[in-house]
Amino acid sequence: EDRGGSLREFGLVIGMNKTYLGDIELGKRNPTVRSLAKIAAGYGMTLKEFFAKRCRIDERSRDVAGATFGCVL
């Protein structure tokens, strides 16, 4: 919706249901990698670019792997 359109319009462009997209946005559903790729493509970017723009590494707090990731999708 941040590009001036509705979830319905965006869903039509990327071939996904607006209810499904809304549920992802509200955290009610966990999208598949395929769904995330469609959403990223709808914004004109690859999955790598999509996550690079939305995720950061928080170096102050570390988990077992050595870093905590904070992502906003």
Side-chain angles (χ1 to χ4, degrees):
E1 292 215 44
D2 62 357
R3 292 174 68 172
S6 69
L7 280 180
R8 181 181 171 278
E9 292 167 340
F10 187 66
L12 288 171
V13 169
I14 65 171
M16 295 178 77
N17 182 286
K18 71 172 185 163
T19 303
Y20 180 69
L21 289 171
D23 286 349
I24 292 170
E25 186 176 40
L26 295 172
K28 293 180 178 180
R29 290 190 181 245
N30 296 315
T32 64
V33 172
R34 180 174 285 160
S35 293
L36 289 173
K38 283 184 175 185
I39 293 167
Y43 285 106
M45 59 182 83
T46 66
L47 269 179
K48 182 177 179 179
E49 294 166 327
F50 182 78
F51 282 108
K53 290 185 180 285
R54 286 164 172 71
C55 296
R56 63 172 171 60
I57 299 174
D58 186 351
E59 293 294 338
R60 293 167 295 176
S61 59
R62 297 186 176 273
D63 63 13
V64 176
T68 300
F69 292 88
C71 299
V72 178
L73 301 177

